[in-house]
Amino acid sequence: MSNNLAGKNVVIIGGTAGIGLAAAIAASDLGANVWAAGRSEGHIESAKAISNGKFEVRQADTHDAEALEAIFKEVGTIDHLVSAAVGGERTLKPFLEQTEDQFKAAYDKLWGYGKVVRTGAPYLAEDGSITLVSGSPARKINPSQSALSCVGASVENMVRCLAVEMAPIRVNVVSPGTVDTAMFDWMGDEKGGKLSAMTAGHLIKRAGSSEEVAAGMIFVMQNNFVTGTTVDVDGGRILS
Ligand SMILES: NC(=O)c1ccc[n+]([C@@H]2O[C@H](COP(=O)([O-])OP(=O)(O)OC[C@H]3O[C@@H](n4cnc5c(N)ncnc54)[C@H](OP(=O)(O)O)[C@@H]3O)[C@@H](O)[C@H]2O)c1
C-alpha cells in the first residue's frame, strides 16, 4: 500500500537547490510538512522565495550535527528523512593524478550522509523512511570519475546496510544520471551546450530535470513495500 504524504513531516537536507529543492516542492504539493536545509544564504534565500511560505527553509551543513539536531528537534517526529546534499569535493582526474587528500575529500559526502542518518534516527517515526542520493557513476565507470564512483557506490552499499539494520524503517537511494542543476553552474554560459554534449551518447539524449529525479524520491517515500532499493533516474545512463 502506498502512503499519503499529506500531513507527514518530511526533512530534506540539501533541499535548498536542485534535486533536493524539487523534492521539497513535490512533497509540499502533496500536502507534507516540509523542512528543507542547506548551507549558503544564497540558496536559502532563493528556496524561501520559491517556497513562498509553503515549506520551511533552514540552515544546516551535513557535517554539523548540532545544526541538524536543531532542525530535527523542531520537527519532532520525522516521517521521511532525505539527504540530497552534494556534501563533498570531487576531483575529476585519473586516480593516480589525485592526491590522497583530494580523494578523501570526495568521501565527505558519505560522512555527511552518515551524520544525517545518525542524528536523525532517534527522531524517525516507526514506519518512517530514509532516502539518500548516489549517482550513475556508482555503477557506470568512466575515466577520471573514480572519486564519484567510489563514493556513490559507498552510499548505495550504506543504504543496503541501513535497510537491514534499521528495518522496519525503510532506507532507499535514488541514483540520478546527468541532471541540469546548480551543480553545473560553474560551466557558465556553456552549461546548455556542455550538458547536451555530455548526454549525446545516453539512451535518453538530454540532461534530466530535478523534477524527474524528485519523482523517484517521492516514489520511495510513498511505497511502503520498497526498501534497500536503488532507483535509477538516469535516462538509461548506466546502459549507454
Ligand atoms: N546533478 C547531477 O547531474 C547529479 C548527478 C549524479 C548525482 N547527483 C547527486 O544528486 C544530489 C543533488 O545534487 P544537485 O545536482 O541537486 O546539486 P545542487 O543543485 O548543487 O544542490 C545541492 C543542494 O545541497 C546543498 N548542499 C551541498 N552541500 C551541502 C552540505 N555539506 N550540507 C548541507 N547542504 C549541502 C546545496 O546548498 P548549499 O550549497 O547552499 O549548501 C543545495 O541545496 C547530490 O548528492 C549529487 O551528488 C547529481
Side-chain angles (χ1 to χ4, degrees):
M1 281 281 287
S2 71
N3 66 70
N4 190 341
L5 285 189
K8 300 285 181 173
N9 292 339
V10 175
V11 181
I12 304 179
I13 310 299
T16 56
I19 292 166
L21 177 59
I25 295 166
S28 165
D29 284 349
L30 289 166
N33 309 310
V34 177
W35 284 257
R39 298 163 305 171
S40 70
E41 284 296 342
H43 281 151
I44 287 171
E45 287 313 314
S46 53
K48 277 185 179 165
I50 288 167
S51 144
N52 200 18
K54 284 198 214 129
F55 56 86
E56 304 296 329
V57 183
R58 298 285 181 269
Q59 190 160 37
D61 189 316
T62 54
H63 304 286
D64 182 348
E66 237 173 79
L68 293 170
E69 180 125 35
I71 298 171
F72 301 155
K73 265 197 184 137
E74 179 192 343
V75 176
T77 300
I78 304 170
D79 295 295
H80 302 287
L81 175 62
V82 177
S83 185
V86 175
E89 296 292 329
R90 292 87 51 91
T91 300
L92 297 177
K93 278 186 184 172
F95 178 79
L96 294 179
E97 291 174 25
Q98 292 182 53
T99 65
E100 191 174 322
D101 282 345
Q102 284 173 323
F103 193 69
K104 280 183 178 168
Y107 272 83
D108 284 343
K109 175 173 181 170
L110 184 73
W111 310 143
Y113 280 15
K115 195 155 279 182
V116 170
V117 171
R118 212 180 280 282
T119 314
Y123 297 89
L124 274 170
E126 274 175 29
D127 60 350
S129 82
I130 296 173
T131 305
L132 304 181
V133 179
S134 58
S136 50
R139 279 161 291 125
K140 174 70 178 178
I141 306 303
N142 274 311
S144 298
Q145 293 192 347
S146 58
L148 274 73
S149 293
C150 292
V151 175
S154 297
V155 170
E156 292 184 359
N157 235 13
M158 185 166 84
V159 158
R160 288 187 277 271
C161 295
L162 293 173
V164 168
E165 291 183 359
M166 295 181 72
I169 286 171
R170 299 180 301 105
V171 190
N172 294 291
V173 55
V174 173
S175 177
T178 304
V179 180
D180 186 353
T181 68
M183 206 171 85
F184 295 108
D185 280 355
W186 59 270
M187 292 174 175
D189 292 344
E190 294 174 9
K191 181 173 163 180
K194 283 197 167 163
L195 288 180
S196 295
M198 282 164 67
T199 54
H202 298 185
L203 301 187
I204 309 292
K205 298 183 189 309
R206 63 171 174 84
S209 69
S210 294
E211 291 73 21
E212 287 169 320
V213 183
M217 297 162 93
I218 297 292
F219 162 71
V220 296
M221 282 185 229
Q222 283 193 316
N223 194 312
N224 290 330
F225 203 52
V226 172
T227 191
T229 294
T230 303
V231 175
D232 291 303
V233 185
D234 67 355
R237 172 73 188 113
I238 59 171
L239 297 179
S240 57

